[in-house]
Every structure is written in C-alpha cells, then in structure tokens.
Amino acid sequence: MRAVVQRCSQAKVEIDGKPVGSIAHGLCVLLGIDVEDTEADATYLCEKLIGLRIFDDENGVPNRSVADVGGRILLISQFTLMGDARKGRRPSYIAAARPETAVPLYEHCIALLKQSVPVETGVFGADMQVTLTNDGPFTILLDSRRTF
C-alpha cells in the first residue's frame, strides 16, 4: 500500500464540478493499493498516517500529528500510485489491486482513520479533480512494504 501524504491548509475533491469531499487543516492522502496488500498493510499505513508528526508545535518544529492538531484527512484512492514506469514509456499498472480487492481495503482504511480523526473521501474509481494548498510544502511518501 502506498500513500502520498501532503500537509495542507485546505483540500477538496470534485466530480464533474460538484464537491464530494473537502477539508481545511489536515492531510490530503492519495492511496494506492497493491494486489498483495492485506488488512495488515492497511493497519500499518493508517497508524502511520495518524501518528505522523509533521505539524508544527508552539516552537515551529514539526512535532505534532494530525490528531494532535485537530486536523482532518481527505483520503483519495489512486491506482496510478502502483504504476511501474521503469521499462518503456507507458507505466504498467499490473500491481494495482482490482476493485473487488481494493474497495474493501480502501473502506477498511476509512474506518480505521475515522476512529481517530474526521475523514472525507473521494469516490473509488471515479474521475476526480483534486485541489489543495500544500502547507510547507510538506509531502511524505509512505509504503507498507518498502522504504524510500
């Protein structure tokens, strides 16, 4: 499971110009689900997201989590994060989980995150437009199976 995590002052997702989800202060998270991912991967990643200390404390040091600052998470599924562009010019998405596997894991992530912070979402599989104001900028890559 892979995530691109951006600390933001605002983020929203729209479908056909209509708002689907939006947050103010918090994290915009693009989530890719691998064919081999399990609930253990989801648990690991969600625990990381909730505990990730990337918000400033009173001294301006990134020492607080999204839960600590009363932030929210906008979670958006994005199978293209599983793309492999090492060969040729067209990425291969063979590692991206099919909807019958990915949707339950995506919903599991939503449920886990909602135990700690308010969560907004996109719509799985939809053509979405995402806008955000990256605060920092501050962007972190997470992967449940490897380090960068």
Side-chain angles (χ1 to χ4, degrees):
M1 201 167 277
R2 288 186 189 151
V4 175
V5 182
Q6 296 184 76
R7 184 178 74 183
C8 61
S9 56
Q10 68 81 32
K12 67 179 178 178
V13 59
E14 296 178 336
I15 298 174
D16 296 327
K18 296 179 181 143
V20 174
S22 67
I23 62 168
H25 182 65
L27 300 175
C28 181
V29 180
L30 305 175
L31 182 69
I33 301 172
D34 188 276
V35 294
E36 296 181 5
D37 284 337
T38 66
E39 285 190 1
D41 293 284
T43 299
Y44 169 84
L45 199 81
C46 290
E47 287 175 356
K48 276 287 191 191
L49 287 170
I50 295 300
L52 200 58
R53 298 184 333 178
I54 62 173
F55 291 90
D56 293 346
D57 63 15
E58 61 280 352
N59 298 314
V61 177
N63 211 12
R64 293 192 174 159
S65 70
V66 67
D68 293 337
V69 299
R72 297 172 177 262
I73 293 177
L74 177 60
L75 186 68
I76 301 164
S77 63
Q78 187 172 352
F79 79 93
T80 61
L81 289 178
M82 303 317 297
D84 183 352
R86 291 177 292 175
K87 293 183 182 178
R89 297 183 187 270
R90 181 184 310 217
S92 168
Y93 300 105
I94 194 112
R98 304 277 309 146
E100 54 272 12
T101 302
V103 170
L105 285 173
Y106 177 63
E107 290 173 350
H108 183 64
C109 286
I110 295 166
L112 289 173
L113 294 171
K114 281 185 174 182
Q115 293 174 11
S116 300
V117 296
V119 177
E120 295 281 328
T121 66
V123 175
F124 189 93
D127 182 18
M128 298 174 274
Q129 294 75 49
V130 180
T131 58
L132 68 108
T133 302
N134 189 315
D135 181 21
F138 213 118
T139 303
I140 302 289
L141 302 175
L142 297 176
D143 193 305
S144 64
R145 295 176 184 246
R146 67 179 196 173
T147 58
F148 293 95

